[in-house]
């Protein structure tokens, strides 16, 4: 299937391949979480979307991420090929076993909708290089049409997500482990040219052939798993790449991982969210199955309370949340991940007013205690931990007309010159978060 002249495989190229110990490999994966740190803000600032085109994204707050591809078959995560040093030829054999009999993106989109998500993002192509769509530009026809699936799997996903009224996102990794030039771009210029051309042409396919796309979610713009995405900008020319994207999709929201700063920041992993309100819009992304992004047997699955807590901690700091599921080789969403999403949906049914369409503030969050969001004449106080029976809040510029516990249970509040005090009996507190709405007197005309 692969042309040995270009892909891995002559002895010279093979000797250039990294030989890493398992421990170092894990570090690579972990390092990928912080690789966007130094994007150059002076690179193509004209590409940033104006605030009015970012509004829907900032209002949406919650998306569902899907990591799915050939790596669902060995079930050891999406880094399986690299971590276990599987050669491209051996890995490619998985394509002949890729029969996703239960692939039903409508059911994924319905699940995301039930969870209260407003958008989805799916891995059109991960670092293994296998494209889930009909991709003539794919090196060696390494795509779903030429696999046992024999069809384009992105087109029905895009349709399904739209049908549920959700915004459509595509994830694309310019990184492709099949190309030795990924590890040695300067030493292997011919292979590097081929590698780069594939990325530009595949992204063009995705941007041209699937109608309107709302989000482009880059990942892996770095080189040789070293440095950051921005360090690889000399190679990818992310300004040129994203200019091409915007030519086809003028209002697409773009994440930061191509080496260009992007329209929002990303913070990856399930670690707690702390600190003040962030100036730039940002997104917390993590896998609900903490065992991996791509399918692995469910292990350490976050429950709905834990995910709600991450959502609230992101939203009160100007963030969104993109929570990942990893369907199995047949396309089935594992049951505990589905259950977590449904639990988040139940919480959002009752508390969605305090999340969707809000903006953070007026209070700065206090880590582990509370944060706030605002919409119209309401301030929502999200209490994540009670330091004592009462919670004291700073004063507000407008009179508070009343306080309501969104769970329907009791709340007592008192106001004095120094601010407000809220108290909610333990039985009326939420298991993850207690949300109190303060209704403010209308602003004087
Ligand atoms: C990490 C993982 C990568 C995953 C990404 C999602 O970088 O290494 O596999 O796709 O997170 O944000």
């Amino acid at each position: 299937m692969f042309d040995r002249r270009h892909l891995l495989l002559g002895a010279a190229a093979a000797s250039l391949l990294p030989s890493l110990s398992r421990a170092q490999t894990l570090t690579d994966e972990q390092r990928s979480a912080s690789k966007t740190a130094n994007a150059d803000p002076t690179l193509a600032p004209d590409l940033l979307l104006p605030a009015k085109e970012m509004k829907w994204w900032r209002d949406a707050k919650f998306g569902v991420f899907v990591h799915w591809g050939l790596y669902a078959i060995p079930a050891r995560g999406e880094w399986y090929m690299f971590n276990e040093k599987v050669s491209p030829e051996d890995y490619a054999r998985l394509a002949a076993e890729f029969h996703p009999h239960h692939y039903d993106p409508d059911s994924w989109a319905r699940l995301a909708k039930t969870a209260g998500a407003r958008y989805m993002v799916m891995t059109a192509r991960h670092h293994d290089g296998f494209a889930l769509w009909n991709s003539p530009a794919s090196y060696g026809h390494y795509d779903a049409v030429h696999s046992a699936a024999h069809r384009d799997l992105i087109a029905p996903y895009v349709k399904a997500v739209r049908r549920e009224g959700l915004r459509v996102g595509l994830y694309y990794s310019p990184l492709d482990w099949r190309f030795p030039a990924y590890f040695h771009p300067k030493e292997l210029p011919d292979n590097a040219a081929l590698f780069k051309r594939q990325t530009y042409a595949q992204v063009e396919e995705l941007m041209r052939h699937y109608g309107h796309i709302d989000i482009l979610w880059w990942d892996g713009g770095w080189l040789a798993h070293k440095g950051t995405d921005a360090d690889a900008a000399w190679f990818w020319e992310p300004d040129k790449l994203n200019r091409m994207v915007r030519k086809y999709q003028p209002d697409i929201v773009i994440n930061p991982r191509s080496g260009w700063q992007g329209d929002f920041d990303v913070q990856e992993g399930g670690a707690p969210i702390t600190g003040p309100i962030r100036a730039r819009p940002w997104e917390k992304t993590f896998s609900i199955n903490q065992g991996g992004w791509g399918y692995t047997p469910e292990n350490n699955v976050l429950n709905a309370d834990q995910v709600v807590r991450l959502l609230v901690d992101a939203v009160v700091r100007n963030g969104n949340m993109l929570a990942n599921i990893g369907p199995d080789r047949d396309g089935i969403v594992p049951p505990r991940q589905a259950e977590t999403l449904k639990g988040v949906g139940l919480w959002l049914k009752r508390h969605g007013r305090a999340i969707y369409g809000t903006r953070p503030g007026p209070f700065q969050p206090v880590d582990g205690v509370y944060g706030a969001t605002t919409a119209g004449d309401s301030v929502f106080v999200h209490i994540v931990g009670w330091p004592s029976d009462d919670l004291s809040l700073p004063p507000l510029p407008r009179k508070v007309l009343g306080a309501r516990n969104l769970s329907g249970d009791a709340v007592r509040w008192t106001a004095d010159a120094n601010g407000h005090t809220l108290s909610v009996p333990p039985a009326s507190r939420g298991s993850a978060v207690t949300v109190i709405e303060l209704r403010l007197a209308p602003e004087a005309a």
Side-chain angles (χ1 to χ4, degrees):
M1 189 183 226
F2 302 113
D3 181 339
R4 292 193 162 258
R5 279 171 311 159
H6 297 301
L7 285 183
L8 288 183
L9 319 145
S15 69
L16 291 171
L17 281 178
S19 67
L20 294 172
S21 71
R22 172 99 192 142
Q24 284 171 305
T25 306
L26 285 178
T27 312
D28 283 334
E29 221 174 314
Q30 285 156 355
R31 244 180 339 114
S32 80
S34 58
K35 64 202 170 200
T36 52
N38 72 353
D40 172 5
T42 64
L43 182 70
D46 60 300
L47 278 179
L48 286 168
L49 279 186
K52 67 175 193 319
E53 288 176 16
M54 280 298 285
K55 183 180 180 302
W56 75 262
W57 189 91
R58 295 189 67 202
D59 287 349
K61 308 298 183 192
F62 172 27
V64 169
F65 209 173
V66 184
H67 271 66
W68 192 60
L70 295 184
Y71 43 80
I73 300 173
R76 293 210 281 279
E78 76 290 350
W79 276 65
Y80 161 75
M81 174 177 165
F82 182 80
N83 285 352
E84 304 199 18
K85 301 193 183 77
V86 183
S87 72
E89 287 95 339
D90 285 345
Y91 188 88
R93 294 203 180 95
L94 293 170
E97 291 173 51
F98 192 48
H99 302 279
H101 294 302
H102 299 285
Y103 178 55
D104 176 15
D106 288 290
S107 73
W108 294 359
R110 277 196 301 275
L111 175 64
K113 177 94 178 241
T114 307
R118 298 274 163 99
Y119 58 95
M120 289 186 84
V121 179
M122 178 174 173
T123 49
R125 210 206 75 177
H126 208 270
H127 311 337
D128 61 1
F130 181 75
L132 287 177
W133 72 99
N134 177 14
S135 177
S138 167
Y139 190 81
H141 301 298
Y142 200 40
D143 67 4
V145 174
H146 295 83
S147 75
H150 294 303
R151 61 192 194 278
D152 184 316
L153 300 166
I154 290 296
Y157 155 81
V158 171
K159 261 197 203 109
V161 176
R162 282 261 171 265
R163 199 174 297 134
E164 289 303 324
L166 306 177
R167 299 283 191 146
V168 179
L170 294 175
Y171 163 113
Y172 180 87
S173 166
L175 187 175
D176 184 337
W177 286 318
R178 298 180 302 158
F179 288 83
Y182 170 66
F183 298 98
H184 301 281
K186 290 189 176 142
E187 293 87 335
L188 300 170
D190 293 349
N191 188 255
L194 201 64
F195 172 42
K196 183 171 175 182
R197 202 175 318 127
Q198 176 184 260
T199 285
Y200 273 70
Q202 285 196 311
V203 171
E204 183 169 5
E205 288 171 359
L206 289 171
M207 296 300 107
R208 287 184 69 181
H209 301 156
Y210 297 89
H212 187 249
I213 301 296
D214 300 291
I215 300 167
L216 175 58
W217 217 97
W218 295 107
D219 187 24
W222 52 349
L223 286 167
H225 302 311
K226 292 214 179 77
T228 65
D229 297 321
D231 295 332
W234 67 270
F235 180 75
W236 289 118
E237 302 180 86
D239 46 340
K240 190 170 146 199
L241 189 54
N242 286 299
R243 235 176 260 295
M244 184 261 284
V245 167
R246 284 272 166 71
K247 185 171 99 193
Y248 298 115
Q249 302 282 346
D251 57 2
I252 193 167
V253 177
I254 302 177
N255 89 335
R257 291 191 166 171
S258 60
W260 174 61
Q261 62 177 302
D263 297 303
F264 60 93
D265 294 334
V266 169
Q267 183 186 325
E268 186 180 289
I273 302 166
T274 57
I277 297 170
R278 303 181 195 175
R280 240 167 81 87
W282 65 283
E283 184 175 63
K284 172 76 167 178
T285 187
F286 59 87
S287 189
I288 295 175
N289 176 15
Q290 293 273 283
W293 297 83
Y295 177 77
T296 57
E298 289 192 315
N299 170 24
N300 192 7
V301 175
L302 298 180
N303 63 35
D305 276 358
Q306 291 170 302
V307 174
V308 164
R309 174 70 192 272
L310 287 166
L311 173 66
V312 163
D313 280 337
V315 171
V316 301
R317 292 171 176 82
N318 203 24
N320 279 14
M321 174 180 80
L322 182 63
N324 178 71
I325 52 176
D328 71 11
R329 59 185 293 166
D330 284 330
I332 306 278
V333 178
R336 287 168 58 206
Q337 293 166 61
E339 190 185 299
T340 292
L341 284 179
K342 287 178 189 156
V344 175
L346 285 176
W347 186 87
L348 278 166
K349 266 212 159 88
R350 203 154 238 195
H351 301 87
R353 300 182 49 225
I355 299 287
Y356 304 120
T358 63
R359 292 295 176 264
F363 306 126
Q364 278 292 347
V366 177
D367 294 346
V369 185
Y370 71 89
T373 53
T374 302
D377 289 328
S378 292
V379 167
F380 300 93
V381 186
H382 301 250
I383 304 149
V384 296
W386 292 84
S388 64
D389 287 349
D390 298 334
L391 178 71
S392 301
L393 297 169
L396 284 162
R398 283 149 68 189
K399 191 169 156 20
V400 176
L401 301 177
R404 191 169 80 85
N405 185 338
L406 289 202
S407 69
D409 289 326
V411 54
R412 263 188 333 110
W413 71 279
T414 50
D416 61 31
N418 301 321
H420 305 270
T421 305
L422 289 173
S423 89
V424 174
S428 301
R429 297 176 186 168
S431 55
V433 184
T434 307
V435 185
I436 306 298
E437 176 177 5
L438 303 175
R439 266 171 299 105
L440 305 188
E443 231 152 354

